[in-house]
Amino acid sequence: MAIITLSEALLQRLVAKEGTILRDRILCGFCLKVGKRSNSFMVATSCKGKQVRVTLGRWPLLSVDEARVQAMSVLRKCRAGENPSLSRRRRLPTLRECLADYAKAKRIKPASLKRYESILRTHFPAWLDCSVTLLKNAEFREQCHHFAQTKGAALVEVGRGLIGAIIKYLNAVHELEITNPFAKLANAGLMPDRAKPRERKLQERDLPAWRAAVDKLPSKQRDYLLLIALTGLRRNEGLDIRRLSVDLEKGILLIPETKNGKSHTLPITQAMKEILDRRCTGLSSDEFLFSGVSAEHVAEMASRLGAPKFMLHDLRKLLATIGERLSVGDAVLRRILNHTAKRSDVLHRHYVSLDVSDILKPLEVIQFEVLKTMQAGQVTSPCRKRHVGGPGAI
């Protein structure tokens, strides 16, 4: 064993063979074990004449100074005749408990957590209330294989992502070494193809019939669908709008909770103002504009009144499609729809920043085209002169 002075600077440039143990010159018994993928701090000493090996943690999650302090505590117990390797044993969480801890650490929304719990409860029930150490067993690998081969591509995609995230969390926080079964299945070519995005059912030529049916709905459901069509908001973003999020004086609509976790703001155009004026009337600051509207059933309600079959997400896709046809820039569309740029897109991820005033005119142009298509039943040619006025009556 080499005896050196362990330090952060040394570990950053350390090149050593796997399995090498480096002893600290400052604190006798404090060591670093070089692993294949990571290096671990440990204490190698004796207690009551017996050899004791205690792993403290991995570098750099644990710094040299922090590990040295922990090592002193372990060595002090050994000198007092207390075996620290026994006292340091702790109960590992169950899969259910680990999911709750992971969701708290990642600030996962309650709706997403409920879905993840359902997936584990339905497809991995035997492991839900057992120690996570059982995720290493062959039975769990077999269940992952069965799940990948028998379930739909979309469900498998969510399930493999969930299991992979939990295993990464366990390995990092609890210092385990669990292999992700789905990664091995993918390497062997045993995973189904990635789920394809759902095709848009509602076409621009369907908008006149769609609007005629929506106008027959109760006013709250009608206004909800029209606001989604004019803004491209996701269905829960529209449902969760409170009166306090609508600033009619400044002309700003705030969406505090979104899919990407970032609050979203939109300018209130004339078309939106007519809807928001109606919905805000008589509400206290904490009340929801669309309380009582069911996102699960509102599309079906419109279809029963003659609207073509559609999903709420179709309205978001239509807004984006019309914006692209009108040559609205990617950065502006991304800002309207609250999309995050790819990590590799440094320009739009870190440099370009658009305010509500920057997207007001483009959003008015898109909304004008959407409303005109609803009324006229024809798609404007991209070569035709653009209009930048208010979209007219809603």
Side-chain angles (χ1 to χ4, degrees):
M1 295 185 185
I3 300 178
I4 60 175
T5 300
L6 292 174
S7 66
E8 294 292 328
L10 183 143
L11 295 187
Q12 288 172 2
R13 64 175 186 271
L14 178 66
V15 178
K17 185 178 178 182
E18 179 186 352
T20 301
I21 296 179
L22 306 176
R23 286 187 174 272
D24 185 34
R25 182 176 284 111
I26 298 176
L27 183 63
C28 181
F30 177 44
C31 311
L32 178 83
K33 184 175 181 181
V34 179
K36 184 176 182 180
R37 297 184 180 87
S38 61
N39 302 324
S40 301
F41 295 110
M42 59 181 291
V43 171
T45 185
S46 61
C47 179
K48 294 182 177 180
K50 295 183 179 180
Q51 294 295 315
V52 174
R53 297 290 185 271
V54 178
T55 300
L56 302 174
R58 298 180 183 180
W59 181 84
L61 294 177
L62 191 66
S63 70
V64 174
D65 291 339
E66 291 170 337
R68 193 176 277 118
V69 170
Q70 289 189 24
M72 290 178 65
S73 175
V74 171
L75 290 167
R76 194 176 294 115
K77 290 180 179 180
C78 289
R79 299 299 176 264
E82 179 184 347
N83 190 335
S85 62
L86 299 178
S87 61
R88 285 176 64 87
R89 290 177 184 173
R90 63 184 186 278
R91 170 185 167 274
L92 289 172
T94 64
L95 183 57
R96 188 193 301 273
E97 293 168 341
C98 181
L99 176 61
D101 293 341
Y102 171 75
K104 183 178 180 181
K106 297 291 289 184
R107 297 179 181 178
I108 291 175
K109 295 179 181 178
S112 298
L113 177 58
K114 185 176 180 180
R115 185 186 184 195
Y116 296 155
E117 289 174 339
S118 175
I119 290 175
L120 295 181
R121 187 170 57 252
T122 304
H123 304 287
F124 302 93
W127 293 268
L128 195 57
D129 294 307
C130 297
S131 172
V132 292
T133 55
L134 295 184
L135 300 185
K136 297 180 179 180
N137 294 353
E139 290 81 1
F140 182 71
R141 294 194 295 271
E142 291 173 2
Q143 176 59 21
C144 290
H145 186 197
H146 175 76
F147 175 75
Q149 295 295 313
T150 58
K151 307 304 175 185
L155 178 60
V156 171
E157 196 164 320
V158 176
R160 71 182 290 186
L162 174 60
I163 295 297
I166 289 176
I167 288 176
K168 283 183 180 180
Y169 177 80
L170 285 169
N171 290 343
V173 174
H174 296 281
E175 300 179 6
L176 302 178
E177 294 185 359
I178 302 175
T179 302
N180 183 357
F182 288 110
K184 286 192 170 184
L185 290 171
N187 292 335
L190 298 176
M191 292 294 295
D193 294 335
R194 293 280 185 178
K196 297 179 180 179
R198 293 181 181 179
E199 294 185 3
R200 173 159 51 92
K201 297 179 180 179
L202 188 66
Q203 304 301 320
E204 290 165 66
R205 63 177 177 273
D206 300 325
L207 284 177
W210 180 87
R211 176 61 190 271
V214 168
D215 283 342
K216 299 175 186 176
L217 288 169
S219 61
K220 192 176 288 188
Q221 283 78 3
R222 178 199 65 209
D223 284 350
Y224 170 73
L225 288 175
L226 288 175
L227 187 65
I228 296 295
L230 293 174
T231 59
L233 291 174
R234 297 178 178 91
R235 64 179 192 174
N236 288 335
E237 294 172 353
L239 285 179
D240 293 340
I241 298 174
R242 297 175 186 265
R243 175 63 185 88
L244 56 83
S245 298
V246 183
D247 191 333
L248 294 171
E249 292 184 4
K250 293 183 179 179
I252 297 177
L253 172 63
L254 171 65
I255 311 297
E257 294 189 8
T258 63
K259 184 178 180 180
N260 60 17
K262 300 176 183 178
S263 61
H264 180 43
T265 53
L266 284 173
I268 298 178
T269 63
Q270 183 58 38
M272 294 165 60
K273 188 174 186 301
E274 294 180 22
I275 296 173
L276 295 173
D277 269 334
R278 285 197 295 268
R279 300 273 59 93
C280 289
T281 301
L283 295 183
S284 62
S285 62
D286 203 43
E287 287 187 273
F288 291 98
L289 269 62
F290 299 105
S291 60
V293 174
S294 170
E296 305 292 336
H297 301 111
V298 67
E300 185 180 345
M301 290 174 63
S303 296
R304 287 200 296 265
L305 294 173
K309 290 290 184 181
F310 72 102
M311 299 181 294
L312 292 180
H313 208 66
D314 289 349
L315 303 175
R316 181 175 172 85
K317 292 179 178 179
L318 270 174
L319 188 85
T321 300
I322 292 175
E324 177 66 23
R325 181 174 294 113
L326 293 171
S327 301
V328 174
D330 288 351
V332 173
L333 276 178
R334 191 179 291 115
R335 174 64 177 78
I336 291 172
L337 296 171
N338 194 31
H339 271 182
T340 303
K342 294 181 179 179
R343 292 186 179 183
S344 58
D345 191 350
V346 177
L347 176 64
H348 292 102
R349 196 174 179 88
H350 299 291
Y351 288 85
V352 176
S353 179
L354 300 177
D355 199 357
V356 287
S357 59
D358 298 313
I359 62 172
L360 174 58
K361 291 299 182 183
L363 184 57
E364 286 180 337
V365 170
I366 297 173
Q367 290 178 351
F368 182 83
E369 195 70 17
V370 169
L371 290 169
K372 187 169 65 172
T373 305
M374 288 180 183
Q375 294 163 0
Q378 60 184 13
V379 180
T380 304
S381 168
C383 299
R384 191 174 298 179
K385 182 180 179 180
R386 296 186 188 176
H387 299 270
V388 190
I394 300 298

